[in-house]
């Protein structure tokens, strides 16, 4: 009865992951705040995709095309002014600073709004909840004192406030922000989760597991850096499609091994999982880089941001590995080998099928 319940739970989790990936659409806003001696300058970049999905944000009938036209219409400009001034606030100490919109213009797939406020002294607090109904939306906030980066934050509807004490060491803020973002990106990316689960589903000796995970880590770390620095760029549709393909390929490998051998799959034949982890890990690195590319990192923060984000990715990945390892260990101890093998086949089948659905959605547009 316990095993049946566990299998039902696994099925429910995989179905939930499938639905989450199908609807998975990250959007990012950017807010740059420059604290100058005589004034405060704010530049707010809003994605057109998020604006058109927020019914309260713009006049009825506003389309993505109209947001990319120059100049923006007067009703759209007025709506953007209301949105930003209602959902973005800045305080110096306990005093709220009035915001004045000086310009709003199309910027490719985004809209940029320029604001000014009186000069801010002492502790500065920024509150931003630009798209409160979008659970995945993030706002990247950069705070500058003059030309120097003084703080960097990632805000969402659960964490809407950032406070900058005067003055503050920027490196600590950058590291903590991007470690959190790395962990978060793993847990909101069900495709990455399923790929890691497919890699470790067969188990094996500790040395084998370490080799697999090390190969995956080394590969995605390389392309994470290259993609973030724009040294190598691939179309996002291609990247997302190959990530889905990676789940299918490793899932099919798991099924092939489980049909002919013990669940560990570590017999006389060569175990290709480390090679698969490295090869497909190169593509997963481009997927991980999406957050950092959107951030448009200041030059002085690039190295720390990359390192911290990668640490966060590894911490999130480690949590998944520990949970999966514990579950597989309990399964093997609690069930007889034939039942264990059947359970692993069911899991591998679900993983492969889920990857196949994502591949069809991403590559063929189903």
């Amino acid at each position: 009865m316990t095993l049946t319940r566990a299998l039902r739970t696994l099925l429910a989790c995989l179905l939930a992951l499938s639905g989450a990936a199908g609807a998975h659409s990250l959007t990012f806003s950017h807010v740059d705040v420059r604290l100058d001696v005589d004034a405060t300058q704010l530049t707010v970049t809003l994605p057109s995709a998020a604006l058109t999905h927020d019914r309260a944000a713009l006049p009825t009938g506003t389309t993505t095309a109209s947001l990319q036209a120059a100049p923006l219409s007067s009703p759209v400009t007025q709506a953007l002014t209301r949105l930003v001034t209602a959902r973005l606030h800045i305080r110096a100490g306990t005093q709220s600073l009035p915001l004045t919109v000086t310009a709003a213009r199309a910027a490719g797939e985004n809209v940029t709004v320029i604001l000014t406020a009186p000069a801010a002294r002492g502790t500065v607090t920024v509150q931003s909840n630009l798209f409160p109904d979008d659970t995945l939306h993030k706002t990247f906030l950069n705070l500058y004192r003059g030309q120097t980066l003084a703080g960097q934050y990632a805000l969402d509807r659960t964490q809407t406030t950032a406070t900058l004490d005067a003055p503050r060491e920027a490196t600590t803020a950058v590291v903590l922000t991007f470690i959190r973002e790395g962990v978060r990106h793993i847990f909101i990316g069900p495709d990455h989760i399923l790929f890691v689960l497919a890699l470790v589903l067969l188990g094996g000796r500790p040395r084998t597991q370490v080799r697999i995970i090390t190969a995956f880590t080394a590969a995605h770390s390389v392309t994470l850096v290259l993609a973030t620095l724009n040294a190598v760029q691939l179309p996002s549709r291609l990247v997302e499609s190959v990530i889905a393909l990676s789940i299918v390929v490793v899932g099919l490998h798991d099924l092939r091994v489980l049909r002919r051998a013990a669940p560990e799959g570590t017999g006389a034949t060569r175990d290709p999982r480390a090679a698969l982890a490295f090869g497909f890990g190169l593509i997963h690195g481009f997927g991980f880089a999406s957050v950092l590319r959107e951030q448009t990192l200041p030059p002085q923060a690039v190295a720390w941001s990359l390192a911290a984000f990668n640490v966060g990715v590894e911490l999130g990945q480690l949590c998944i590995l520990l949970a999966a390892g514990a579950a597989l260990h309990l399964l093997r101890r609690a069930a007889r080998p034939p039942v264990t093998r059947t359970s692993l086949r069911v899991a591998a089948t679900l993983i492969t099928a889920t990857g196949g659905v994502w591949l069809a959605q991403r590559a063929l547009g189903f």
Side-chain angles (χ1 to χ4, degrees):
M1 188 66 177
T2 301
L3 181 58
T4 301
R5 200 176 297 122
L7 288 173
R8 288 176 179 172
T9 301
L10 175 62
L11 175 60
C13 290
L14 289 175
L15 290 175
L17 285 173
S18 176
H24 183 59
S25 179
L26 290 172
T27 56
F28 305 91
S29 295
H30 303 85
V31 177
D32 288 343
V33 179
R34 295 190 181 274
L35 307 173
D36 295 324
V37 174
D38 54 351
T40 301
Q41 307 289 333
L42 298 92
T43 302
V44 181
T45 303
L46 305 170
S48 299
L51 286 167
T52 54
H53 283 88
D54 188 335
R55 296 181 179 179
L58 298 173
T60 303
T62 302
T63 64
T64 301
S66 65
L67 291 174
Q68 297 173 356
L72 295 174
S73 67
S74 178
V76 168
T77 300
Q78 293 172 8
L80 290 171
T81 299
R82 289 193 298 269
L83 182 150
V84 173
T85 54
R87 301 180 184 179
L88 177 66
H89 307 280
I90 183 168
R91 295 196 309 272
T94 59
Q95 179 184 5
S96 292
L97 302 181
L99 298 176
T100 302
V101 174
T102 59
R105 56 177 177 265
E109 296 181 354
N110 303 306
V111 173
T112 298
V113 181
I114 309 297
L115 306 96
T116 61
R121 304 283 187 267
T123 299
V124 176
T125 301
V126 177
Q127 183 179 23
S128 175
N129 194 12
L130 294 171
F131 297 97
D133 295 330
D134 188 341
T135 58
L136 294 180
H137 186 82
K138 300 288 290 188
T139 297
F140 289 112
L141 170 65
N142 295 321
L143 283 168
Y144 297 86
R145 291 192 182 279
Q147 298 301 314
T148 303
L149 178 70
Q152 193 168 42
Y153 308 87
L155 305 179
D156 54 30
R157 70 175 190 172
T158 61
Q159 177 62 44
T160 62
T161 302
T163 300
L164 178 69
D165 296 325
R168 179 177 176 176
E169 176 62 40
T171 300
T172 301
V174 170
V175 168
L176 293 177
T177 293
F178 282 96
I179 287 178
R180 287 193 299 268
E181 283 305 296
V183 173
R184 179 180 180 272
H185 194 64
I186 280 288
F187 284 104
I188 66 171
D191 41 11
H192 302 305
I193 293 175
L194 281 197
F195 182 70
V196 172
L197 290 178
L199 286 173
V200 302
L201 189 66
L202 298 179
R205 300 183 183 91
R207 185 172 60 183
T208 301
Q209 300 279 19
V210 169
R211 185 165 61 248
I212 292 169
I213 298 308
T214 300
F216 183 55
T217 298
H220 74 62
S221 297
V222 169
T223 47
L224 171 65
V225 173
L226 292 176
T228 303
L229 298 179
N230 291 319
V232 179
Q233 294 185 7
L234 294 178
S236 60
R237 183 172 181 177
L238 173 63
V239 170
E240 295 302 318
S241 298
V242 176
I243 287 174
L245 177 63
S246 71
I247 299 169
V248 175
V249 171
V250 179
L252 289 174
H253 164 73
D254 292 347
L255 287 171
R256 182 174 63 86
V257 171
L258 289 166
R259 278 198 301 267
R260 72 180 188 186
E264 287 76 8
T266 55
T269 59
R270 179 176 175 272
D271 187 345
R273 287 180 293 168
L276 292 172
F278 185 85
F280 285 120
L282 293 171
I283 300 298
H284 280 256
F286 287 102
F288 291 139
S290 61
V291 171
L292 293 180
R293 278 201 308 269
E294 289 286 345
Q295 172 63 340
T296 314
L297 300 173
Q300 63 268 45
V302 170
W304 286 112
S305 300
L306 282 169
F309 186 83
N310 211 41
V311 168
V313 167
E314 298 314 313
L315 289 175
Q317 186 174 288
L318 180 61
C319 291
I320 295 168
L321 291 173
L322 291 175
L328 291 171
H329 178 71
L330 290 174
L331 175 63
R332 292 185 175 110
R333 288 190 55 142
R336 291 174 297 177
V339 176
T340 297
R341 193 174 299 116
T342 298
S343 301
L344 294 178
R345 285 176 181 169
V346 171
T349 300
L350 290 171
I351 289 172
T352 306
T354 302
V357 171
W358 293 341
L359 179 59
Q361 290 175 337
R362 297 170 184 183
L364 304 177
F366 287 171

